């Protein structure tokens, strides 16, 4: 049981309700940053953003990342002020294809404070991950655990599939449905 | 004023739903609203969203005409005033460095006409070096009052045709941060 004890004006309730939902939609509830497919932009290669299809097994939007070469997507974020370390969770599927099962994923970051954007991405984690549950099953993979929040006011973050890596044996695309950065400490 | 019941175990009413969300908000205390370039859409002119130096997405805003991008937000209930910070960079090496940006906002309630942008501020910023792809972090508005209204449309424009805008190349808008001032 959770005990709540709140006294507030009802006149403000509707605004508060909408405000809180939008806070969450914008990805800042301070404990997690949610990057849906539409918050990302293609960077490496020519990945396609496949829209979800109502009533199908492909109901959510996904970035389709190639099995034969490196393809990546990215965006910029700011970390909440009270984060020291963070985890990265990847929501993905096999885009309809399963066995062989292994894909190589990379999460990388570049941080800036009034500095040159000529600084490139630095890899935080690259790992070989096994697809569970078949080609259309949602996989929730913690790709990064306890990485230190870098110095800087603005951080570019990139997710890549290294399709050309020898360890990446899964045929067909990887479907990236979202990335969640969450506070570890 | 309505006093809501305590020690509840189910979210069975709209009022409780609202209150539980409020509790969540109070717990997490949102200090800023972050909007990357991907969160914005073109409004004036024909700005292009593209990768800047293969590192960050940004909206390229023209050197010769007004171009702008926008979106809508709501403010957390405990914000009274806010600051606006923009992150931008010249897209090629400029020969002059001053860029003029404006911040405009319009606020709306239920059944209110969605008219154009009304209030805001304009500032001239000097790029930190005469080179492309250096990050500029500039405060476009300080201590602006949170307006009344359910939601708020806001726009960031580069006034490329303004006489004070001497930056002779595109300025790429990378992100906008609305942060709580009070």
């Amino acid at each position: 049981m959770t005990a709540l004890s709140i006294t507030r004006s009802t006149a403000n309730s509707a605004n508060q309700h909408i405000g809180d939902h939008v806070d969450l939609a914008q990805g800042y509830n301070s404990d997690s940053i949610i990057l849906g497919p539409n918050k990302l932009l293609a960077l490496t290669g020519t990945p396609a953003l496949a829209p979800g299809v109502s009533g199908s097994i492909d109901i959510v939007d996904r970035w389709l990342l190639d099995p034969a070469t490196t393809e990546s997507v990215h965006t910029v974020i700011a970390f909440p002020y009270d984060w020291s370390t963070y985890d990265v969770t990847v929501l993905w599927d096999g885009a309809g294809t399963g066995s062989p099962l292994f894909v190589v994923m990379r999460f990388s970051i570049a941080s800036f404070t009034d500095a040159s954007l000529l600084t490139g991405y630095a890899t935080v984690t690259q790992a070989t991950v096994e697809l569970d549950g078949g080609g259309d099953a949602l996989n929730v993979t913690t790709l990064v655990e306890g990485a230190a929040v870098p110095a800087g006011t603005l951080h570019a973050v990139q997710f890549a599939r290294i399709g050309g890596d020898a360890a990446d044996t899964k045929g067909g695309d990887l479907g990236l449905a979202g990335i969640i950065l969450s506070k570890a400490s | 004023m309505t006093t809501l019941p305590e020690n509840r175990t189910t979210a069975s009413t709209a009022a409780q739903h609202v209150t539980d969300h409020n509790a969540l908000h109070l717990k997490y205390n949102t200090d800023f609203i972050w909007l990357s370039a991907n969160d914005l859409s073109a409004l004036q002119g024909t700005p292009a969203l593209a990768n800047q130096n293969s590192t960050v997405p940004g909206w390229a805003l023209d050197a010769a005409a007004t171009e702008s991008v926008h979106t809508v937000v709501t403010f957390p209930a405990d914000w009274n005033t806010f600051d606006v910070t923009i992150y931008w960079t010249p897209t090629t090496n400029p020969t002059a460095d001053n860029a003029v940006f404006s911040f405009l906002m319009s606020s709306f309630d239920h059944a209110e006409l969605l008219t154009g942008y009304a209030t805001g501020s304009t500032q001239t910023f000097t790029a930190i070096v005469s080179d492309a792809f250096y990050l500029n972090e500039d405060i476009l508005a300080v201590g602006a009052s949170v307006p009344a209204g359910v939601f708020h449309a806001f726009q960031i424009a580069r006034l490329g045709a303004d006489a004070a805008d001497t930056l002779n190349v595109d300025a790429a808008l990378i992100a906008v941060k609305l942060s709580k001032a009070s």
Side-chain angles (χ1 to χ4, degrees):
Chain A
M1 177 181 292
T2 300
L4 298 175
S5 178
I6 296 170
T7 302
R8 63 198 305 271
S9 163
T10 54
N12 194 36
S13 296
N15 288 358
Q16 176 70 60
H17 191 191
I18 293 170
D20 289 342
H21 272 298
V22 173
D23 291 345
L24 295 173
Q26 288 167 342
Y28 284 93
N29 62 9
S30 288
D31 278 351
S32 62
I33 300 169
I34 302 167
L35 301 174
N38 293 302
K39 282 183 171 288
L40 303 167
L41 190 69
L43 178 61
T44 310
T46 55
L49 177 57
V53 179
S54 178
S56 83
I57 56 174
D58 297 325
I59 196 169
V60 299
D61 296 352
R62 294 165 302 160
W63 282 98
L64 302 179
L65 305 178
D66 197 77
T69 187
T70 296
E71 290 193 330
S72 71
V73 292
H74 70 157
T75 190
V76 294
I77 65 165
F79 286 102
Y81 305 134
D82 62 347
W83 287 28
S84 298
T85 61
Y86 67 98
D87 301 335
V88 178
T89 302
V90 181
L91 310 178
W92 63 288
D93 73 359
T97 57
S99 181
L101 299 172
F102 293 96
V103 298
V104 176
M105 300 178 177
R106 175 192 294 161
F107 178 81
S108 51
I109 194 165
S111 300
F112 310 99
T113 302
D114 275 353
S116 170
L117 296 173
L118 299 173
T119 302
Y121 279 101
T123 297
V124 178
T125 297
Q126 179 168 318
T128 302
V129 178
E130 183 176 11
L131 174 70
D132 290 329
D136 291 311
L138 173 67
N139 278 239
V140 180
T141 299
T142 301
L143 185 59
V144 177
E145 286 188 290
V149 171
T153 56
L154 180 147
H155 310 270
V157 296
Q158 176 188 180
F159 174 84
R161 179 191 181 181
I162 317 299
D165 191 289
D168 189 309
T169 56
K170 191 188 92 64
D173 290 334
L174 178 160
L176 177 67
I179 301 168
I180 300 172
L181 285 75
S182 51
K183 179 181 180 180
S185 65
Chain B
M1 184 80 71
T2 299
T3 301
L4 295 168
E6 299 179 8
N7 299 328
R8 297 162 306 188
T9 56
T10 60
S12 57
T13 68
Q16 181 169 329
H17 188 50
V18 168
T19 303
D20 289 345
H21 273 286
N22 189 46
L24 184 70
H25 173 71
L26 292 173
K27 176 183 177 184
Y28 292 125
N29 187 27
T30 302
D31 287 323
F32 61 82
I33 299 168
W34 178 263
L35 300 163
S36 68
N38 309 62
D39 295 316
L40 305 168
S41 58
L43 178 62
Q44 293 169 283
T46 54
L49 175 61
N51 293 316
Q52 307 300 327
N53 197 41
S54 298
T55 308
V56 295
W59 284 97
L61 304 177
D62 197 73
T66 295
E67 290 192 330
S68 67
V69 292
H70 69 156
T71 191
V72 295
V73 300
T74 67
F75 290 100
D78 63 347
W79 287 28
N80 294 310
T81 61
F82 65 99
D83 301 337
V84 180
T85 304
I86 62 171
Y87 300 82
W88 66 282
T89 182
T91 58
T92 55
N93 292 353
T95 55
D97 295 338
N98 290 338
V100 178
F101 289 92
S102 73
F103 161 73
L104 296 172
M105 176 170 281
S106 275
S107 302
F108 305 99
D109 272 318
H110 174 68
E112 191 171 352
L113 185 65
L114 294 169
T115 57
Y117 285 96
T119 59
S121 64
T122 299
Q123 299 283 341
T124 301
F125 299 123
T126 302
I128 57 170
V129 294
S130 296
D131 202 352
F133 302 128
Y134 278 77
L135 177 64
N136 288 263
E137 177 183 9
D138 288 310
I139 299 175
L140 189 50
V142 177
S145 295
V146 171
V150 172
F151 81 91
H152 313 271
F154 82 88
Q155 171 193 172
I156 302 293
R158 182 201 173 177
L159 309 183
D162 191 288
D165 190 308
T166 60
L167 186 78
N168 60 326
V169 301
D170 283 353
L173 180 67
I174 298 164
V176 181
K177 182 166 73 173
L178 308 177
S179 51
K180 180 182 180 180
S182 66

PDB file of all heavy atoms in Angstrom, chain A residues 8-28:
ATOM      1  N   ARG A   8      -4.372  19.810  -2.892  1.00  0.00           N
ATOM      2  CA  ARG A   8      -4.060  20.684  -4.015  1.00  0.00           C
ATOM      3  C   ARG A   8      -5.323  21.245  -4.612  1.00  0.00           C
ATOM      4  O   ARG A   8      -6.410  20.722  -4.401  1.00  0.00           O
ATOM      5  CB  ARG A   8      -3.270  19.926  -5.079  1.00  0.00           C
ATOM      6  CG  ARG A   8      -4.010  18.787  -5.704  1.00  0.00           C
ATOM      7  CD  ARG A   8      -3.057  17.834  -6.388  1.00  0.00           C
ATOM      8  NE  ARG A   8      -2.212  18.512  -7.349  1.00  0.00           N
ATOM      9  CZ  ARG A   8      -2.553  18.685  -8.617  1.00  0.00           C
ATOM     10  NH1 ARG A   8      -3.716  18.271  -9.047  1.00  0.00           N
ATOM     11  NH2 ARG A   8      -1.735  19.270  -9.440  1.00  0.00           N
ATOM     12  N   SER A   9      -5.170  22.304  -5.355  1.00  0.00           N
ATOM     13  CA  SER A   9      -6.299  22.948  -5.986  1.00  0.00           C
ATOM     14  C   SER A   9      -6.764  22.135  -7.177  1.00  0.00           C
ATOM     15  O   SER A   9      -5.960  21.711  -7.994  1.00  0.00           O
ATOM     16  CB  SER A   9      -5.889  24.346  -6.450  1.00  0.00           C
ATOM     17  OG  SER A   9      -6.798  24.838  -7.391  1.00  0.00           O
ATOM     18  N   THR A  10      -8.051  21.934  -7.317  1.00  0.00           N
ATOM     19  CA  THR A  10      -8.549  21.186  -8.463  1.00  0.00           C
ATOM     20  C   THR A  10      -8.419  21.988  -9.751  1.00  0.00           C
ATOM     21  O   THR A  10      -8.366  21.430 -10.832  1.00  0.00           O
ATOM     22  CB  THR A  10     -10.023  20.794  -8.267  1.00  0.00           C
ATOM     23  OG1 THR A  10     -10.758  21.983  -7.974  1.00  0.00           O
ATOM     24  CG2 THR A  10     -10.172  19.807  -7.128  1.00  0.00           C
ATOM     25  N   ALA A  11      -8.366  23.310  -9.629  1.00  0.00           N
ATOM     26  CA  ALA A  11      -8.276  24.135 -10.844  1.00  0.00           C
ATOM     27  C   ALA A  11      -6.996  23.861 -11.614  1.00  0.00           C
ATOM     28  O   ALA A  11      -6.921  24.061 -12.815  1.00  0.00           O
ATOM     29  CB  ALA A  11      -8.349  25.614 -10.467  1.00  0.00           C
ATOM     30  N   ASN A  12      -5.998  23.376 -10.929  1.00  0.00           N
ATOM     31  CA  ASN A  12      -4.706  23.150 -11.563  1.00  0.00           C
ATOM     32  C   ASN A  12      -4.547  21.716 -12.055  1.00  0.00           C
ATOM     33  O   ASN A  12      -3.563  21.378 -12.698  1.00  0.00           O
ATOM     34  CB  ASN A  12      -3.598  23.464 -10.553  1.00  0.00           C
ATOM     35  CG  ASN A  12      -2.240  23.579 -11.211  1.00  0.00           C
ATOM     36  OD1 ASN A  12      -2.151  24.066 -12.329  1.00  0.00           O
ATOM     37  ND2 ASN A  12      -1.220  23.119 -10.532  1.00  0.00           N
ATOM     38  N   SER A  13      -5.516  20.889 -11.751  1.00  0.00           N
ATOM     39  CA  SER A  13      -5.331  19.459 -11.978  1.00  0.00           C
ATOM     40  C   SER A  13      -5.143  19.102 -13.443  1.00  0.00           C
ATOM     41  O   SER A  13      -4.275  18.310 -13.792  1.00  0.00           O
ATOM     42  CB  SER A  13      -6.518  18.696 -11.406  1.00  0.00           C
ATOM     43  OG  SER A  13      -6.567  18.878 -10.009  1.00  0.00           O
ATOM     44  N   ALA A  14      -5.967  19.684 -14.296  1.00  0.00           N
ATOM     45  CA  ALA A  14      -5.887  19.309 -15.711  1.00  0.00           C
ATOM     46  C   ALA A  14      -4.528  19.661 -16.292  1.00  0.00           C
ATOM     47  O   ALA A  14      -3.897  18.869 -16.997  1.00  0.00           O
ATOM     48  CB  ALA A  14      -6.993  19.995 -16.499  1.00  0.00           C
ATOM     49  N   ASN A  15      -4.057  20.848 -15.954  1.00  0.00           N
ATOM     50  CA  ASN A  15      -2.748  21.256 -16.471  1.00  0.00           C
ATOM     51  C   ASN A  15      -1.651  20.330 -15.954  1.00  0.00           C
ATOM     52  O   ASN A  15      -0.731  19.952 -16.673  1.00  0.00           O
ATOM     53  CB  ASN A  15      -2.429  22.696 -16.052  1.00  0.00           C
ATOM     54  CG  ASN A  15      -3.270  23.699 -16.811  1.00  0.00           C
ATOM     55  OD1 ASN A  15      -4.066  23.311 -17.671  1.00  0.00           O
ATOM     56  ND2 ASN A  15      -3.120  24.959 -16.493  1.00  0.00           N
ATOM     57  N   GLN A  16      -1.748  19.997 -14.679  1.00  0.00           N
ATOM     58  CA  GLN A  16      -0.730  19.146 -14.084  1.00  0.00           C
ATOM     59  C   GLN A  16      -0.708  17.793 -14.779  1.00  0.00           C
ATOM     60  O   GLN A  16       0.354  17.246 -15.097  1.00  0.00           O
ATOM     61  CB  GLN A  16      -1.035  18.953 -12.596  1.00  0.00           C
ATOM     62  CG  GLN A  16      -0.085  18.008 -11.896  1.00  0.00           C
ATOM     63  CD  GLN A  16       1.292  18.596 -11.757  1.00  0.00           C
ATOM     64  OE1 GLN A  16       1.461  19.645 -11.128  1.00  0.00           O
ATOM     65  NE2 GLN A  16       2.272  17.966 -12.376  1.00  0.00           N
ATOM     66  N   HIS A  17      -1.884  17.261 -15.011  1.00  0.00           N
ATOM     67  CA  HIS A  17      -1.994  15.953 -15.625  1.00  0.00           C
ATOM     68  C   HIS A  17      -1.323  15.943 -16.996  1.00  0.00           C
ATOM     69  O   HIS A  17      -0.485  15.101 -17.307  1.00  0.00           O
ATOM     70  CB  HIS A  17      -3.481  15.601 -15.744  1.00  0.00           C
ATOM     71  CG  HIS A  17      -3.719  14.171 -16.113  1.00  0.00           C
ATOM     72  ND1 HIS A  17      -4.940  13.705 -16.480  1.00  0.00           N
ATOM     73  CD2 HIS A  17      -2.884  13.121 -16.160  1.00  0.00           C
ATOM     74  CE1 HIS A  17      -4.844  12.406 -16.743  1.00  0.00           C
ATOM     75  NE2 HIS A  17      -3.622  12.039 -16.555  1.00  0.00           N
ATOM     76  N   ILE A  18      -1.682  16.930 -17.788  1.00  0.00           N
ATOM     77  CA  ILE A  18      -1.091  17.005 -19.130  1.00  0.00           C
ATOM     78  C   ILE A  18       0.407  17.233 -19.027  1.00  0.00           C
ATOM     79  O   ILE A  18       1.198  16.605 -19.715  1.00  0.00           O
ATOM     80  CB  ILE A  18      -1.759  18.140 -19.928  1.00  0.00           C
ATOM     81  CG1 ILE A  18      -3.221  17.773 -20.202  1.00  0.00           C
ATOM     82  CG2 ILE A  18      -1.010  18.385 -21.232  1.00  0.00           C
ATOM     83  CD1 ILE A  18      -4.023  18.906 -20.771  1.00  0.00           C
ATOM     84  N   GLY A  19       0.791  18.108 -18.099  1.00  0.00           N
ATOM     85  CA  GLY A  19       2.213  18.422 -17.970  1.00  0.00           C
ATOM     86  C   GLY A  19       3.035  17.201 -17.637  1.00  0.00           C
ATOM     87  O   GLY A  19       4.091  16.969 -18.216  1.00  0.00           O
ATOM     88  N   ASP A  20       2.548  16.404 -16.722  1.00  0.00           N
ATOM     89  CA  ASP A  20       3.317  15.229 -16.337  1.00  0.00           C
ATOM     90  C   ASP A  20       3.417  14.235 -17.474  1.00  0.00           C
ATOM     91  O   ASP A  20       4.447  13.611 -17.680  1.00  0.00           O
ATOM     92  CB  ASP A  20       2.662  14.565 -15.118  1.00  0.00           C
ATOM     93  CG  ASP A  20       2.859  15.406 -13.866  1.00  0.00           C
ATOM     94  OD1 ASP A  20       3.745  16.269 -13.887  1.00  0.00           O
ATOM     95  OD2 ASP A  20       2.124  15.198 -12.902  1.00  0.00           O
ATOM     96  N   HIS A  21       2.327  14.081 -18.220  1.00  0.00           N
ATOM     97  CA  HIS A  21       2.399  13.160 -19.354  1.00  0.00           C
ATOM     98  C   HIS A  21       3.431  13.640 -20.364  1.00  0.00           C
ATOM     99  O   HIS A  21       4.182  12.852 -20.922  1.00  0.00           O
ATOM    100  CB  HIS A  21       1.022  13.039 -20.020  1.00  0.00           C
ATOM    101  CG  HIS A  21       0.175  11.977 -19.396  1.00  0.00           C
ATOM    102  ND1 HIS A  21       0.522  10.657 -19.395  1.00  0.00           N
ATOM    103  CD2 HIS A  21      -0.994  12.057 -18.723  1.00  0.00           C
ATOM    104  CE1 HIS A  21      -0.407   9.949 -18.766  1.00  0.00           C
ATOM    105  NE2 HIS A  21      -1.335  10.773 -18.330  1.00  0.00           N
ATOM    106  N   VAL A  22       3.457  14.949 -20.607  1.00  0.00           N
ATOM    107  CA  VAL A  22       4.394  15.456 -21.603  1.00  0.00           C
ATOM    108  C   VAL A  22       5.818  15.334 -21.093  1.00  0.00           C
ATOM    109  O   VAL A  22       6.731  15.019 -21.834  1.00  0.00           O
ATOM    110  CB  VAL A  22       4.043  16.904 -21.984  1.00  0.00           C
ATOM    111  CG1 VAL A  22       5.119  17.490 -22.886  1.00  0.00           C
ATOM    112  CG2 VAL A  22       2.700  16.921 -22.689  1.00  0.00           C
ATOM    113  N   ASP A  23       6.020  15.557 -19.786  1.00  0.00           N
ATOM    114  CA  ASP A  23       7.357  15.343 -19.246  1.00  0.00           C
ATOM    115  C   ASP A  23       7.849  13.951 -19.588  1.00  0.00           C
ATOM    116  O   ASP A  23       8.976  13.744 -20.006  1.00  0.00           O
ATOM    117  CB  ASP A  23       7.356  15.485 -17.713  1.00  0.00           C
ATOM    118  CG  ASP A  23       7.112  16.920 -17.293  1.00  0.00           C
ATOM    119  OD1 ASP A  23       7.241  17.797 -18.151  1.00  0.00           O
ATOM    120  OD2 ASP A  23       6.784  17.127 -16.116  1.00  0.00           O
ATOM    121  N   LEU A  24       6.962  12.983 -19.401  1.00  0.00           N
ATOM    122  CA  LEU A  24       7.347  11.609 -19.670  1.00  0.00           C
ATOM    123  C   LEU A  24       7.571  11.393 -21.158  1.00  0.00           C
ATOM    124  O   LEU A  24       8.532  10.761 -21.577  1.00  0.00           O
ATOM    125  CB  LEU A  24       6.282  10.649 -19.150  1.00  0.00           C
ATOM    126  CG  LEU A  24       6.106  10.664 -17.629  1.00  0.00           C
ATOM    127  CD1 LEU A  24       4.919   9.821 -17.223  1.00  0.00           C
ATOM    128  CD2 LEU A  24       7.356  10.146 -16.949  1.00  0.00           C
ATOM    129  N   ALA A  25       6.665  11.956 -21.971  1.00  0.00           N
ATOM    130  CA  ALA A  25       6.808  11.784 -23.414  1.00  0.00           C
ATOM    131  C   ALA A  25       8.095  12.412 -23.911  1.00  0.00           C
ATOM    132  O   ALA A  25       8.728  11.923 -24.828  1.00  0.00           O
ATOM    133  CB  ALA A  25       5.614  12.405 -24.134  1.00  0.00           C
ATOM    134  N   GLN A  26       8.484  13.511 -23.292  1.00  0.00           N
ATOM    135  CA  GLN A  26       9.722  14.152 -23.717  1.00  0.00           C
ATOM    136  C   GLN A  26      10.937  13.423 -23.180  1.00  0.00           C
ATOM    137  O   GLN A  26      12.069  13.775 -23.495  1.00  0.00           O
ATOM    138  CB  GLN A  26       9.735  15.616 -23.256  1.00  0.00           C
ATOM    139  CG  GLN A  26       8.766  16.463 -24.052  1.00  0.00           C
ATOM    140  CD  GLN A  26       8.531  17.812 -23.435  1.00  0.00           C
ATOM    141  OE1 GLN A  26       8.815  18.012 -22.267  1.00  0.00           O
ATOM    142  NE2 GLN A  26       8.013  18.731 -24.209  1.00  0.00           N
ATOM    143  N   GLY A  27      10.698  12.430 -22.380  1.00  0.00           N
ATOM    144  CA  GLY A  27      11.800  11.582 -21.994  1.00  0.00           C
ATOM    145  C   GLY A  27      12.517  12.005 -20.736  1.00  0.00           C
ATOM    146  O   GLY A  27      13.567  11.464 -20.416  1.00  0.00           O
ATOM    147  N   TYR A  28      12.006  12.978 -19.995  1.00  0.00           N
ATOM    148  CA  TYR A  28      12.712  13.433 -18.817  1.00  0.00           C
ATOM    149  C   TYR A  28      11.840  13.303 -17.584  1.00  0.00           C
ATOM    150  O   TYR A  28      11.116  14.212 -17.223  1.00  0.00           O
ATOM    151  CB  TYR A  28      13.183  14.873 -18.992  1.00  0.00           C
ATOM    152  CG  TYR A  28      14.380  14.932 -19.883  1.00  0.00           C
ATOM    153  CD1 TYR A  28      14.240  15.138 -21.241  1.00  0.00           C
ATOM    154  CD2 TYR A  28      15.644  14.696 -19.369  1.00  0.00           C
ATOM    155  CE1 TYR A  28      15.337  15.140 -22.067  1.00  0.00           C
ATOM    156  CE2 TYR A  28      16.749  14.709 -20.203  1.00  0.00           C
ATOM    157  CZ  TYR A  28      16.590  14.930 -21.538  1.00  0.00           C
ATOM    158  OH  TYR A  28      17.677  14.915 -22.349  1.00  0.00           O
TER     159      TYR A  28
END
